[in-house]
Amino acid sequence: MSEVAIGDKTYWVGVNDRTTDLFEGLWPIEGIGVSYNSYIIKDTKNVLIDLAKAIKTDDFFDQVTNIIDLDKLDYIIINHMEPDHTGVIKTLRMVAKNAEILCTPKAVNMLREFYGISDGIRAVKDGETLSTGNHQLQFYHVPFVHWPETMVTFDATTNVLFSCDAFGGYGAFQGTIFDDECTQLDFYTKESLRYYSNIVAKFSNSVLNAINKLSGLTIKTIAPSHGLLWRKDPGKIVQLYKKWAEYSTSGGEKGVTLLYGSMYGNTETMMNAVAQGISDGGIHPEIYDVARTHVSYMLPSLWKNKGVVIGAPTYEVSLFPYMQAALEKAKLKTVKNKKAIYFGSYGWSKGALKKVNEITEGLKWEILEGLEFPGQVTPELYKQGYEMGKRFARSIE
Ligand code: FEO
């Protein structure tokens, strides 16, 4: 995509990345991609805000040099140091010799550690303003959204908030960068929640602090560094992020995520009984086979729903390994304050429920019931599973 004007002398100069298949080397984006949004403000002093991943170096420089001569670049604002936004910086430094890097004090060290860059950098204070001529840029430190060195840049002249990862999401652009021109808002909203649960959720307290800190600003456009720019309804993505961040303490909304794995079909049979009970109890469960689904796709559901059902057999006196991996990722991402139940078949020894309790310890999960059964699902057990599902659904508010 070529550059797009987003405000007075302000341009999007980002790139789509449809080559990377795992974001952060972890999270699948194959088939949908991601954008690295960069911005230029052309003024008495020229400014470049956030960069791109090194894999997109040529595309990035094509975009930027369509708008400015790099000899005339005065400032490079680094809101966040992660290499998806800084990967091209060593090359940029070689060609934009007059540009000064502006970032938080913590990012100064990281620039040296990641890229060996230690000169031509100025740390900006929280709340500091930079006049570029006609534009007044304000810097607000927002630590741990989602790294310790992060900040956002607010253009008080155009009321554009350059928020970097905050308010971003997966999904390369499909012809337009703006919310009001996009006909797939549901897709981008869904991918924003997946991005939030994969990348940002662990730092939900910091997200709420940042939203609170920025609440006094009159924002006309949210310009993140991944995904859509929100100019028609900037409040929408802020409210969504706020709602998702609050799930970290509330445990989420009325809903049930059912994770299951099965070796020979016995636990799967019980899963069907429990799912039927949950459904008859008034909630449509979101069902994931943990052996066949990447955890990236389970995390949004786990983050959003108050209820979690864990159905997995005992494996070598412990938990079915794919379930263990899924729950450990949920723990890493601090999926907290859930209500849960467990069921699963065992062969020669129990052990799965004990492991579930071990993994979820410290996450404030209330394990309401556990049903470990030997071998197959008898008609009596099927009824037990159904009733457990029904009770569980009715306990979720
Ligand atoms: Fe998009 Fe944390 O980098």
Side-chain angles (χ1 to χ4, degrees):
M1 287 176 68
S2 55
E3 72 280 359
V4 181
I6 68 163
D8 175 49
K9 302 276 173 55
T10 308
Y11 303 88
W12 172 87
V13 287
V15 292
N16 275 330
D17 177 1
R18 289 188 164 90
T19 308
T20 297
D21 54 358
L22 292 173
F23 189 80
E24 289 190 339
L26 277 169
W27 313 108
I29 52 170
E30 198 178 338
I32 65 163
V34 69
S35 67
Y36 312 121
N37 300 339
S38 305
Y39 303 94
I40 288 175
I41 298 171
K42 276 183 92 170
D43 204 351
T44 310
K45 298 284 187 186
N46 294 314
V47 181
L48 178 55
I49 302 173
D50 292 324
L51 312 176
K53 192 175 167 181
I55 193 174
K56 287 285 158 187
T57 300
D58 285 352
D59 290 354
F60 173 79
F61 280 98
D62 284 346
Q63 291 282 71
V64 172
T65 53
N66 278 343
I67 300 290
I68 54 164
D69 179 346
L70 285 170
D71 283 343
K72 298 193 173 78
L73 181 62
D74 298 289
Y75 298 112
I76 301 164
I77 295 175
I78 299 295
N79 281 319
H80 173 36
M81 267 299 300
E82 197 161 4
D84 53 334
H85 306 293
T86 55
V88 300
I89 198 165
K90 282 176 82 168
T91 311
L92 181 62
R93 252 0 243 311
M94 286 181 227
V95 288
K97 295 187 186 302
N98 303 317
E100 183 177 37
I101 296 174
L102 305 179
C103 60
T104 63
K106 281 201 165 64
V108 173
N109 292 335
M110 288 184 172
L111 278 164
R112 189 184 63 250
E113 290 159 358
F114 274 76
Y115 300 106
I117 295 174
S118 54
D119 58 354
I121 306 170
R122 180 156 65 87
V124 295
K125 293 190 185 71
D126 186 23
E128 185 174 331
T129 298
L130 172 79
S131 176
T132 61
N134 293 316
H135 292 250
Q136 306 298 317
L137 303 184
Q138 299 169 348
F139 305 109
Y140 295 99
H141 296 188
V142 290
F144 286 104
V145 183
H146 62 118
W147 278 19
E149 88 302 356
T150 45
M151 67 175 191
V152 298
T153 301
F154 179 64
D155 185 340
T157 309
T158 56
N159 298 81
V160 177
L161 179 72
F162 301 98
S163 59
C164 204
D165 278 353
F167 314 124
Y170 297 134
F173 292 122
Q174 300 169 49
T176 181
I177 65 170
F178 295 117
D179 60 341
D180 54 300
E181 294 175 352
C182 176
T183 55
Q184 288 128 333
L185 276 184
D186 286 349
F187 162 79
Y188 285 105
T189 304
K190 187 176 167 207
E191 288 300 332
S192 291
L193 173 58
R194 187 162 71 94
Y195 174 87
Y196 185 88
S197 67
N198 293 180
I199 311 289
V200 187
K202 190 182 184 90
F203 307 98
S204 289
N205 272 346
S206 303
V207 171
L208 291 171
N209 288 339
I211 289 172
N212 189 42
K213 182 172 189 168
L214 303 172
S215 63
L217 302 177
T218 303
I219 299 168
K220 289 191 181 156
T221 301
I222 297 266
S225 288
H226 300 294
L228 285 181
L229 281 73
W230 301 80
R231 68 177 179 185
K232 180 185 172 200
D233 190 1
K236 177 174 173 160
I237 194 67
V238 176
Q239 285 310 311
L240 282 172
Y241 259 63
K242 182 169 185 285
K243 181 171 80 168
W244 299 334
E246 286 169 348
Y247 289 161
S248 67
T249 45
S250 71
E253 56 195 57
K254 184 171 180 173
V256 170
T257 302
L258 194 165
L259 307 181
Y260 85 98
S262 190
M263 293 167 69
Y264 295 107
N266 294 317
T267 302
E268 184 181 0
T269 299
M270 183 58 87
M271 182 277 286
N272 284 317
V274 174
Q276 200 172 358
I278 292 168
S279 185
D280 286 352
I283 295 178
H284 180 70
E286 296 167 17
I287 299 175
Y288 297 90
D289 178 341
V290 291
R292 295 177 176 82
T293 311
H294 195 288
V295 71
S296 172
Y297 299 99
M298 299 183 232
L299 281 169
S301 180
L302 283 168
W303 191 259
K304 171 173 66 82
N305 290 327
K306 180 74 182 174
V308 180
V309 177
I310 302 155
T314 290
Y315 186 87
E316 296 177 352
V317 202
S318 187
L319 183 60
F320 185 59
Y322 283 113
M323 183 62 79
Q324 181 170 333
L327 293 182
E328 282 173 350
K329 281 279 182 8
K331 183 170 194 170
L332 179 70
K333 294 294 166 184
T334 59
V335 175
K336 289 190 296 186
N337 297 300
K338 302 294 176 182
K339 283 188 173 180
I341 54 173
Y342 164 82
F343 62 85
S345 174
Y346 63 88
W348 41 271
S349 170
K350 295 180 183 178
L353 179 56
K354 183 166 173 278
K355 190 68 182 175
V356 168
N357 281 314
E358 280 173 23
I359 297 170
T360 56
E361 197 181 353
L363 290 175
K364 299 184 182 167
W365 284 30
E366 198 181 346
I367 312 279
L368 299 175
E369 296 189 56
L371 177 58
E372 290 183 290
F373 56 92
Q376 68 174 342
V377 180
T378 61
E380 294 74 27
L381 274 169
Y382 195 96
K383 192 162 184 305
Q384 251 183 281
Y386 170 84
E387 292 298 341
M388 181 171 77
K390 203 167 177 179
R391 276 194 303 279
F392 184 59
R394 288 179 173 165
S395 77
I396 306 294
E397 293 162 348

